[in-house]
Amino acid sequence: MKHRTCRHILTVEDLSTAEIERIFSISEDLKAKYAEGIREPLLPHRVMALIFEKPSLRTRVSFEAAITHLGGNAIFLGDDAGFGKRESIADFARVLSQYVDVIVFRGKAHQTVEELAKYSECPVINGLTDYAHPCQALADLFTIRELAGKLEGHTLAWVGDGNNVARSLAEGCAKLGMRFVMATPEGYRFEADFLPRLRAKYPKFEFEVFDRPEDAVRDALVVYTDVWTSMGQEAEAEKRRRDFHAYQVNGRLMAHTQKGAVFMHCLPAHRGEEVTDEVIDGPQSVVIQQAANRMHVQKGILAWLLASHS
Ligand code: CP
Ligand code: NVA
């Protein structure tokens, strides 16, 4: 075995609250230094491999930039590496992890990242699957804390599809003490036991599921939405457009929010579907700060993971 302990981050639940706090504290420090022009080489010569089964701007570039700023290197594996085609995932993972220190994987099915992690001898980070998007949720919660000073006592209102991003945010809210509410049509909500299971694990976790977006956003500090049709669901796009029609985040919906409420979106956005230009480009929108924080928080994740767990 190359590594004695090998931690993987496949969901937010793989991290304890204290570990998330530690990651945020490293991220905050590295973000402040970056703003002063300092790129601290905490991970010299460390190598990251990225395997992406789906497209990406933010996740790929923010991870590649993060490891470069930290003094390491990134190798993006294209189709020619033959992931899932030339050999078993187990063999791929066993071999790749002899060469690199960390693997970032974006996959179609969550089982694939689990399989990769099972056989990898270096840490695997989930850069999005159909089930979860933990790095997104961690950066978002970091952003909310930057804006509001704390998460406890505040409400995040998810409007739209109960998807990978929503699931990871709910896990993060449960761990960090933020209330999570969602307005999601029947048929697009989480699996029935998901939120109750989180509450059983984190008894202080408060959540509520609404039919009407207006009811969900009323007490929220954050109104969050994502595309109605995620990557891989393109065949359902027409039906989804119809089913989510009443769930658009527009000026009328934002008028129901309290003073100081912000709008968040993981991006990329389908403008004119889940969100209107007036909202995403408006004064309440913090989407660019969110996107910027992907890099800062992933630096925190990498520095924490590779310094203490590889
Ligand atoms: N938010 C996000 O993960 O964006 P990409 O799909 O561009 O990586
Ligand atoms: N839910 C979206 C998130 C993209 C970052 C998707 O999976 O396509």
Side-chain angles (χ1 to χ4, degrees):
M1 286 284 274
K2 194 169 69 151
H3 301 291
R4 273 182 297 125
T5 46
C6 193
R7 283 289 298 272
H8 305 296
I9 304 177
L10 308 190
T11 69
V12 173
E13 284 204 86
D14 289 337
L15 296 165
S16 71
T17 303
E19 288 169 343
I20 297 173
E21 294 294 352
R22 179 76 195 121
I23 287 168
F24 282 3
S25 143
I26 301 170
S27 307
E28 200 178 355
D29 179 51
L30 292 175
K31 180 174 178 177
K33 288 185 174 134
Y34 184 72
E36 289 166 22
I38 303 163
R39 299 177 183 193
E40 214 174 348
L42 296 179
L43 301 174
H45 311 301
R46 298 300 189 96
V47 181
M48 167 195 286
L50 299 104
I51 313 165
F52 279 42
E53 293 185 319
K54 290 175 177 176
S56 170
L57 169 65
R58 281 143 287 268
T59 307
R60 174 183 175 175
V61 180
S62 58
F63 263 116
E64 291 199 19
I67 192 80
T68 307
H69 293 167
L70 291 168
N73 284 290
I75 304 172
F76 186 83
L77 300 181
D79 273 350
D80 51 333
F83 180 79
K85 298 189 185 98
R86 293 181 69 224
E87 57 197 308
S88 72
I89 290 170
D91 285 347
F92 195 103
R94 285 190 194 103
V95 172
L96 180 60
S97 59
Q98 305 303 310
Y99 308 138
V100 305
D101 299 289
V102 60
I103 298 170
V104 177
F105 177 73
R106 168 165 288 196
K108 293 176 183 160
H110 193 70
Q111 294 91 296
T112 311
V113 77
E114 290 177 334
E115 175 98 351
L116 195 62
K118 184 171 168 193
Y119 295 101
S120 171
E121 293 180 23
C122 73
V124 173
I125 300 175
N126 179 0
L128 180 146
T129 60
D130 56 351
Y131 182 79
H133 198 359
C135 300
Q136 180 71 51
L138 292 172
D140 295 338
L141 292 162
F142 178 88
T143 304
I144 299 166
R145 199 148 76 178
E146 256 182 357
L147 292 164
K150 65 183 176 87
L151 300 172
E152 300 84 355
H154 288 304
T155 299
L156 184 152
W158 178 271
V159 179
D161 192 17
N163 64 13
N164 43 9
V165 176
R167 210 178 274 104
S168 293
L169 281 169
E171 290 177 10
C173 286
K175 280 189 175 280
L176 297 176
M178 191 165 192
R179 185 165 167 260
F180 180 87
V181 304
M182 67 195 302
T184 300
E186 295 262 17
Y188 295 98
R189 296 178 181 173
F190 297 140
E191 39 295 1
D193 65 341
F194 180 74
L195 289 169
R197 187 181 58 75
L198 280 180
R199 180 146 60 198
K201 208 162 156 192
Y202 308 98
K204 291 195 180 139
F205 178 44
E206 289 180 49
F207 69 84
E208 209 161 334
V209 181
F210 294 95
D211 289 320
R212 287 165 27 96
E214 294 78 6
D215 296 330
V217 304
R218 195 152 286 131
D219 300 322
L221 172 69
V222 175
V223 176
Y224 200 126
T225 194
D226 185 12
V227 291
W228 294 337
T229 301
S230 283
M231 292 180 276
Q233 299 172 328
E234 290 76 9
E236 301 169 23
E238 265 316 307
K239 175 172 168 39
R240 285 173 169 269
R241 254 179 233 121
R242 285 194 301 275
D243 293 347
F244 286 104
H245 180 71
Y247 291 77
Q248 184 183 67
V249 179
N250 51 34
R252 265 195 325 279
L253 181 65
M254 291 304 282
H256 290 270
T257 59
Q258 63 181 11
K259 194 166 173 287
V262 298
F263 170 74
M264 296 180 87
H265 191 309
C266 55
L267 304 178
H270 294 168
R271 289 164 174 258
E273 291 193 10
E274 77 277 0
V275 63
T276 56
D277 288 342
E278 65 176 332
V279 171
I280 198 167
D281 297 330
Q284 289 171 288
S285 175
V286 297
V287 298
I288 303 303
Q289 183 176 345
Q290 261 182 279
N293 278 336
R294 292 292 305 279
M295 181 178 79
H296 302 301
V297 173
Q298 284 158 201
K299 279 184 189 171
I301 292 171
L302 291 170
W304 173 78
L305 193 60
L306 297 188
S308 44
H309 293 282
S310 68

